[in-house]
Amino acid sequence: MAFEGLSERLQASLAKMRGKGKISEADVKEMMREVRLALLEADVNFKVVKQFVNDVKERAVGQDVMTSLTPGQQVVKIVHDELTKLMGSEVSPLTLSNRPPTVIMMTGLQGAGKTTTTGKLANHLRKKQNRSPLLVAADIYRPAAIKQLETLGKQLELPVFSMGDQVSPQEIVTNALDYAKEHHHDIVLIDTAGRLHIDEDLMQELVDVKEIAKPNEIFLVVDSMTGQDAVNVAESFNEKLGVTGVVLTKLDGDTRGGAALSIKAVTGAPIKFVGLGEKLDAIEPFYPERMASRILG
Ligand code: GDP
């Protein structure tokens, strides 16, 4: 289960607070010491932890909390609110173009789940929003990438635009956009090149594709199991490319939670969707408040 350790530890320290009829500054301090350790152990970025602890403390030791009838519960609520805020507060909906098609550029390192997520997202948008998506195979470097997207398309009965691997991604995208307009596809999802590591060539190619595709969204797909590495990847992609949203995959695994809790605070890019399994319907919009409630029980 994701967040298991974090959840257990936070719940244990909040439980001590909940019933208290009166709390002192020392109580808050002691609780926040435990919360801090729990967050660090869950691999949350240390600067994010520091800020979080300060924010909660500042609100919790205020007069209105200390003198209220249910101070323990108030403190628990503050932790809940701040945890929600950390993950972005509001749901971040998809940015749609007012002149279709809406173009979504899918980026990410190899193995993060980029191609699978491209298929999942297209399927989600068709089913939940009645859209007509087109998948575009623009990763011409990984030998099996085009084939993988075509197989996904077949499974999902979604059209895939490809021109093989002897044509530049820029040319593929230009043609794909014409094709989409002609065939009235209102969403175009571009599966871009992924590599094992971030390098100049990868970034330059993504920048080139961005220039041509003029995407409404640039999604970065990251693996939640990789913790702070995911956050570092997000920072690099965001610097070079301007990421508009993150898709956090493999939340069905036993991730400690560090990526989910740090990415928005560190990079400013909101988590828009989460991947919850290998199945092609295992994708959901990300709800910060629900996630906070799940963690705090
Ligand atoms: P890419 O190299 O980034 O395109 O990655 P793929 O789309 O090929 O995915 C790599 C592996 O991760 C595949 O085995 C996927 O089935 C798996 N995967 C992707 N998303 C999820 C997820 O949300 N949960 C789980 N458990 N597996 C996932």
Side-chain angles (χ1 to χ4, degrees):
M1 256 286 278
F3 304 110
E4 198 165 21
L6 177 65
S7 214
E8 257 173 37
R9 293 187 60 163
L10 289 182
Q11 285 177 24
S13 44
L14 292 183
K16 286 188 227 157
M17 276 298 195
R18 213 171 239 130
K20 276 192 200 277
K22 215 173 168 201
I23 51 175
S24 64
E25 222 172 299
D27 290 332
V28 173
K29 240 184 165 170
E30 168 61 16
M31 178 192 77
M32 289 319 291
R33 200 183 59 83
E34 291 171 6
V35 168
R36 183 174 159 273
L37 287 175
L39 291 170
L40 287 173
E41 207 154 282
D43 194 27
V44 179
N45 175 287
F46 74 98
K47 282 186 203 153
V48 173
V49 174
K50 198 166 172 204
Q51 185 70 48
F52 178 84
V53 168
N54 282 343
D55 290 350
V56 172
K57 259 192 203 156
E58 207 164 280
R59 287 179 61 190
V61 298
Q63 269 307 308
D64 43 343
V65 174
M66 298 299 219
T67 57
S68 79
L69 287 174
T70 53
Q73 282 178 29
Q74 302 271 353
V75 171
V76 173
K77 184 172 179 309
I78 291 170
V79 173
H80 180 276
D81 287 354
E82 291 294 330
L83 209 54
T84 305
K85 210 164 93 189
L86 202 56
M87 291 184 283
S89 293
E90 301 295 324
V91 181
S92 299
L94 202 63
T95 305
L96 294 166
S97 168
N98 40 28
R99 271 202 298 156
T102 292
V103 179
I104 306 174
M105 199 171 143
M106 303 293 294
T107 68
L109 293 184
Q110 252 172 46
K114 176 174 55 66
T115 305
T116 311
T117 303
T118 304
K120 279 181 176 179
L121 188 57
N123 187 43
H124 174 88
L125 294 172
R126 176 179 56 181
K127 281 195 170 154
K128 307 280 171 177
Q129 297 189 14
N130 219 4
R131 308 264 167 206
S132 166
L134 176 69
L135 301 172
V136 180
D139 180 358
I140 61 168
Y141 301 104
R142 184 160 65 96
I146 297 177
K147 191 102 199 46
Q148 191 188 347
L149 196 69
E150 284 173 344
T151 307
L152 257 176
K154 271 210 190 88
Q155 264 173 284
L156 292 166
E157 294 177 19
L158 283 169
V160 176
F161 184 94
S162 69
M163 295 173 76
D165 58 7
Q166 301 300 311
V167 182
S168 75
Q170 290 92 316
E171 203 177 328
I172 296 172
V173 169
T174 307
N175 283 287
L177 291 176
D178 288 342
Y179 181 93
K181 279 176 205 147
E182 252 169 57
H183 293 81
H184 306 292
H185 291 292
D186 51 8
I187 305 252
V188 174
L189 294 114
I190 304 171
D191 187 24
T192 63
R195 294 213 171 91
L196 283 174
H197 303 285
I198 295 171
D199 61 44
E200 284 285 320
D201 291 348
L202 171 66
M203 282 303 169
Q204 190 51 51
E205 179 174 322
L206 295 177
V207 169
D208 291 345
V209 169
K210 175 183 172 181
E211 237 161 63
I212 290 188
K214 300 195 172 47
N216 303 93
E217 294 272 20
I218 300 178
F219 280 176
L220 175 68
V221 179
V222 290
D223 179 344
S224 63
M225 299 294 289
T226 62
Q228 288 313 296
D229 272 347
V231 179
N232 296 336
V233 168
E235 239 186 329
S236 301
F237 270 73
N238 195 33
E239 259 168 34
K240 298 258 164 54
L241 212 60
V243 170
T244 63
V246 169
V247 183
L248 202 56
T249 62
K250 309 185 195 180
L251 267 195
D252 51 306
D254 57 0
T255 167
R256 283 183 288 164
L261 289 167
S262 316
I263 267 187
K264 172 67 168 56
V266 173
T267 69
I271 300 171
K272 292 209 174 183
F273 289 91
V274 288
L276 295 161
E278 296 204 53
K279 289 215 182 115
L280 295 176
D281 58 359
I283 188 166
E284 280 178 15
F286 180 65
Y287 301 101
E289 200 276 329
R290 273 191 220 167
M291 187 56 83
S293 298
R294 204 180 113 191
I295 293 170
L296 295 180

